[in-house]
Amino acid sequence: MPRDDEIIADFPAYALGALDEREQQAVEELIARDVDAADELSELLETVADMSARIGQAAPPVSLRDKLLSSASAETSVAKNTSTYSSLVEHLENRIAIEEVEYERDLRTIWERLGNVLSAGRLAFATSIASFAIVGIMAIQLGTDNVELNRKVSDMEREVAAAYAHTESMVNDMSSNEQLLTHAHERISRQDQEIVKMTEINDALRTSMNDQISLTYATLRNEYQSPAWQPEAALSGDGYAYLLEHQQKPIGALVIGGVDQAPPGEEYRLYLFDEGEPTYVASFDMNEAGYSTVVFGLELPMSLYNGAHITRERVVDPPDPSLALPENRFKPQ
């Protein structure tokens, strides 16, 4: 069974929804029996709500959904054409088999009629005129049946030719669809890489938010206090920067967000200044999400300073306080 102080240490993770069911139950049981702990968690939840309003959520590009839907549509088209082609081939095979059976049946019927006339002996006793008549009738019947069969064969040949032409067109369409599908797979692969990168940025953002929540939580517990002034950080977009000072120890903290990472070989540097030359206090860089929490030592109480400024300098160069003077100041964007 965890101790109460161990459960209280899980309050920030509880506010972020990062505890499992057992840990979450332990927190809820503690606040149910401890009024002070319940008040402390309530203050922390208010802090989380305030920080969530300040920091926007990282979201995938809007075009990502449209790209994935287009790729799925191409795959569906290929599957649909393949099914249609299979059905057409099966229909033609069945039609040809039926026509072959009918052709053989018609031939058998013609020769059976001729055999019946001859076997009945009618030809042996008929006059020559009757014989010619019988032969003429059979010839006419055979000619008629032959014309009908030829017509059926011609119709089948036209249908087969049309089917082959349609099949060739479908094969060409399928080839084009395969190229489109290959291109779609390549785009999906690139999108997967973008999603991995976005996941890394989200993880960095969550870490940064956790740091800021912990620092703000410490402020609520009166460990840190804000000075009467704040840095002159002219930041773009939703950027912000503010300073805190520990009440019992010579320690200061800078919380900054909405700033791009420094280029390779460079870093950000924080200077405090009064009426004289600025004083260098700390170097830092931003995480992938554009946020940072910097803790630094103080030689003098922060109340003796009246301002601060952030510069961006080369890592190999020593701190240059002159860069923090009004005429040389770099304003991080």
Side-chain angles (χ1 to χ4, degrees), residues 223-225 244-253 294-302:
E223 293 181 6
Y224 284 80
Q225 64 182 1
L244 297 170
E245 181 180 13
H246 200 283
Q247 290 195 12
Q248 287 81 33
K249 302 176 184 178
I251 297 175
V294 186
V295 178
F296 52 87
L298 287 171
E299 295 182 359
L300 299 174
M302 199 170 292

Side-chain angles (χ1 to χ4, degrees), residues 72-90 163 166-181:
S73 176
E75 294 180 2
T76 303
S77 177
V78 172
K80 183 177 180 181
N81 287 341
T82 302
S83 176
T84 303
Y85 172 75
S86 299
S87 299
L88 176 61
V89 171
E90 183 179 356
H166 184 61
T167 301
E168 183 177 358
S169 176
M170 289 181 60
V171 169
N172 293 334
D173 290 341
M174 291 175 65
S175 177
S176 299
N177 287 333
E178 287 178 358
Q179 295 177 358
L180 291 174
L181 185 58

Side-chain angles (χ1 to χ4, degrees), residues 15 42-55 213:
S42 177
E43 293 177 354
L44 177 57
L45 292 173
E46 292 177 1
T47 301
V48 171
D50 180 64
M51 295 305 298
S52 298
R54 289 172 175 267
I55 302 174
I213 290 172

Side-chain angles (χ1 to χ4, degrees), residues 16-30:
L16 290 172
L19 295 180
D20 58 29
E21 184 177 354
R22 179 181 57 78
E23 293 170 333
Q24 182 176 344
Q25 182 179 359
V27 170
E28 294 172 351
E29 290 177 353
L30 173 61

Side-chain angles (χ1 to χ4, degrees), residues 11-207:
F11 277 8
Y14 178 89
L16 290 172
L19 295 180
D20 58 29
E21 184 177 354
R22 179 181 57 78
E23 293 170 333
Q24 182 176 344
Q25 182 179 359
V27 170
E28 294 172 351
E29 290 177 353
L30 173 61
I31 63 175
R33 58 182 168 78
D34 189 329
V35 176
D36 293 338
D39 293 340
E40 188 171 326
L41 179 59
S42 177
E43 293 177 354
L44 177 57
L45 292 173
E46 292 177 1
T47 301
V48 171
D50 180 64
M51 295 305 298
S52 298
R54 289 172 175 267
I55 302 174
Q57 297 180 351
V62 176
S63 60
L64 179 57
R65 176 177 174 273
D66 294 336
K67 292 179 180 179
L68 292 176
L69 288 176
S70 297
S71 300
S73 176
E75 294 180 2
T76 303
S77 177
V78 172
K80 183 177 180 181
N81 287 341
T82 302
S83 176
T84 303
Y85 172 75
S86 299
S87 299
L88 176 61
V89 171
E90 183 179 356
H91 171 73
L92 288 175
E93 289 176 349
N94 292 336
R95 183 69 181 277
I96 291 171
I98 292 172
E99 294 294 343
E100 288 177 349
V101 171
E102 291 180 352
Y103 179 78
E104 293 178 358
R105 184 191 61 200
D106 291 341
L107 285 179
R108 286 197 302 271
T109 301
I110 293 170
W111 290 110
E112 284 174 359
R113 288 202 297 267
L114 181 58
N116 290 335
V117 172
L118 295 175
S119 61
R122 282 181 253 172
L123 187 58
F125 299 100
T127 63
S128 58
I129 296 177
S131 299
F132 282 119
I134 293 173
V135 173
I137 292 172
M138 297 308 299
I140 292 172
Q141 183 64 47
L142 286 172
T144 302
D145 292 341
N146 186 58
V147 170
E148 180 65 19
L149 290 175
N150 286 337
R151 185 188 64 78
K152 291 183 178 180
V153 170
S154 297
D155 290 343
M156 289 180 60
E157 288 176 347
R158 285 194 295 271
E159 290 182 5
V160 171
Y164 278 129
H166 184 61
T167 301
E168 183 177 358
S169 176
M170 289 181 60
V171 169
N172 293 334
D173 290 341
M174 291 175 65
S175 177
S176 299
N177 287 333
E178 287 178 358
Q179 295 177 358
L180 291 174
L181 185 58
T182 300
H183 180 62
H185 285 165
E186 293 175 354
R187 288 192 299 174
I188 291 174
S189 178
R190 291 195 298 269
Q191 290 163 4
D192 286 341
Q193 296 174 1
E194 292 178 3
I195 291 174
V196 170
K197 184 176 180 180
M198 289 173 59
T199 301
E200 294 174 352
I201 293 176
N202 282 335
D203 291 342
L205 178 60
R206 177 169 180 168
T207 300

Side-chain angles (χ1 to χ4, degrees), residues 188-299:
I188 291 174
S189 178
R190 291 195 298 269
Q191 290 163 4
D192 286 341
Q193 296 174 1
E194 292 178 3
I195 291 174
V196 170
K197 184 176 180 180
M198 289 173 59
T199 301
E200 294 174 352
I201 293 176
N202 282 335
D203 291 342
L205 178 60
R206 177 169 180 168
T207 300
S208 175
M209 289 180 62
N210 194 26
D211 292 342
Q212 293 174 50
I213 290 172
S214 298
L215 186 57
T216 307
Y217 185 50
T219 303
L220 293 175
R221 298 184 67 181
N222 297 321
E223 293 181 6
Y224 284 80
Q225 64 182 1
S226 299
W229 50 269
Q230 287 298 326
E232 296 180 24
L235 307 177
S236 64
D238 297 329
Y240 64 88
Y242 58 89
L243 285 167
L244 297 170
E245 181 180 13
H246 200 283
Q247 290 195 12
Q248 287 81 33
K249 302 176 184 178
I251 297 175
L254 168 70
V255 179
I256 183 170
V259 179
D260 293 335
Q261 287 184 303
E266 296 185 9
E267 64 184 2
Y268 292 107
R269 291 174 179 172
L270 173 66
Y271 293 88
L272 300 178
F273 56 88
D274 47 23
E275 299 300 330
E277 185 178 77
T279 301
Y280 165 79
V281 292
S283 296
F284 64 95
D285 197 1
M286 314 304 295
N287 61 26
E288 292 183 355
Y291 300 91
S292 184
T293 301
V294 186
V295 178
F296 52 87
L298 287 171
E299 295 182 359

